[in-house]
Amino acid sequence: MTDLFSKFDPLIQQREALLATGVTDPFSLVMEKVLSPTVAICNGRETILLGTYNYMGMTFDEDVIAAGKDALDRFGSGTTGSRVLNGTYQGHRECEEALKAFYAMDHAMVFSTGYQANLGIISTIAGKGDYVILDIDSHASIYDGCKMGDAEIIAFRHNDVEALEKRLKRLPPDAGKLVVLEGVYSMLGDVAPLKEMVRVSKENGAMVLVDEAHSMGFIGEHGRGVAEAQGVIDDVDFIIGTFSKSVGTVGGFCVSNHPKFEIMRLVCRPYVFTASLPPSVVATAATSIRKLMHGGNKRAHLWENSKALHSGLKHLGFTLGTDEPQSAIIAVIMPDLERGAMMWEALLEEGLYVNLARPPATPAGMTLLRCSLCAEHSADQVGEILSRFERAGKRTGIIG
Ligand SMILES: Cc1ncc(COP(=O)(O)O)c(C=O)c1O
C-alpha cells in the first residue's frame, strides 16, 4: 500500500525542524479570552491584536451583538438547510438588501463563506471554452474556483497591466473571458491598478470580477473598495467579498448589476449544496454592513493608524512590503522562516500578535509578519506596537 500521506513528508520535516529549535508553534495559538477587537488573552498574557483583519473593529459593536442575540432568540441557532430549500430566512434577505444598499447594486447573493463565493461564482460563470485570466498572486479561493470550473486558466504577472493586456490580446476575440483581480492583495498589502486593468479588460471584451475582501468597509469614499476609490466600480461586473474581515463575522457574497444574475441561485453549486448561515450570523452581518455605510470617521482613523505604523516600522529599520502604506495591511519582510518564527515568538512574548505567513501562501518564497490594523486601535496602542517591535527586533537581531 502506498501511504497517501507520504506527499506531506517534506512539510512534516520542515515543521519538525522548526519546532526542534524550541520556538513556539506559530500555527496553533489559542485566544483564551477576547476582550475587545484589539486585545485578547494569549498564553495567560494580555496581548494587542495586530493580525486579525478585523479592520473596522465591528466584532464588539453593541448594535451588532444585540442583533445577533435577538436573532438567536427569535430564529434559533441554525437553519439546517440550503438557501434554495429551507435555508433562506428573513435575515438572509435583509443581509442581501443591506449589501445592495452598501454597494448601490441591483443584486446580492450571500454565501456561507467568502471562499465559497469565489469557488462558486468563478467555477459557474466561466465554463468550457471560456478563459479565466488572473493575477498570479491571487488568493487560494480564486485558484480553487478556477480548478473547479472547466475554463482555461491564464495567469499574468502580479499587478502588471501590460502583461494582462498581452494575454487578453492573444485570446480568440469571441471567446468568453473573465478577468479576476483583487482590490488589495493580502500578503503585501498592495493595491491593484484597477483603473487601467478594468480598462484593458473591457477594451478586450472581458468581464471583470474583483475580490474586495481586504478593502470593503475601509477603502473608497463609501468603503466599497479599491474599485470605488479608483472610479471604476460601474465597469466591474462582479464584486466578491467576505464578512470575515471588516464586517466582523463570517460569510461571503457577490454583488452585481448583471440583469441575469439571479439565475446563479439555481446553478451555483457552492451556494445550492451547503447549509446557509445561521440567523444570528446574518443578523450581525446586516447590522454591521448598515453601520459601515456611515463609517467615514472610522475609515479616516484607520488610515492614520496605517500611516503611523508604516512610517514607524520603516524608521526602526524594518523592510516592508510596500514603499508607502496602501491599505490596512503592513507586511514586514523576514530574512527566512526560522528568523521569522523567532521574531513572531519574540513579539508574542512582548504581548503582540501578528500573522506569520510563509510559502506557498506568500509571493516569491517570502516569510512575512503581516500586520493588519484596526479602526479601534488607539494612537497609544500604535505607539506601544512600535515599541514592542523595536524590542523584539533588537532581541532577535532583525534590526540593529
Ligand atoms: C482575497 C480573499 N478572498 C477570499 C477570502 C475568503 O474569505 P472567507 O474567510 O470568508 O472564506 C479571503 C480570506 O482570507 C481572502 O483573503
Side-chain angles (χ1 to χ4, degrees), residues 158-175:
H158 178 55
N159 272 354
D160 186 333
V161 182
E162 265 178 41
L164 166 63
E165 191 168 25
K166 247 189 223 162
R167 304 263 180 312
L168 282 166
K169 287 205 182 303
R170 274 194 220 133
L171 300 178
D174 295 334

Side-chain angles (χ1 to χ4, degrees), residues 83-84 92-93 95-97 99-100 103 105-114 116-118 120-121 124-125 238-243 251-256 260-272 277:
R83 285 296 307 272
V84 293
H92 297 82
R93 280 284 156 81
C95 196
E96 286 169 346
E97 289 304 315
L99 281 166
K100 279 158 51 176
Y103 283 100
M105 289 214 180
D106 295 340
H107 305 280
M109 194 168 157
V110 167
F111 289 75
S112 298
T113 62
Q116 282 162 290
N118 270 329
I121 296 291
T124 309
I125 58 180
F238 310 98
I239 291 179
I240 297 280
T242 174
F243 298 159
F253 64 87
C254 179
V255 292
S256 176
K260 298 179 187 167
F261 188 74
E262 291 300 318
I263 196 63
M264 294 299 287
R265 294 189 198 272
L266 297 183
V267 293
C268 182
R269 294 165 70 89
Y271 178 82
V272 175
L277 287 167

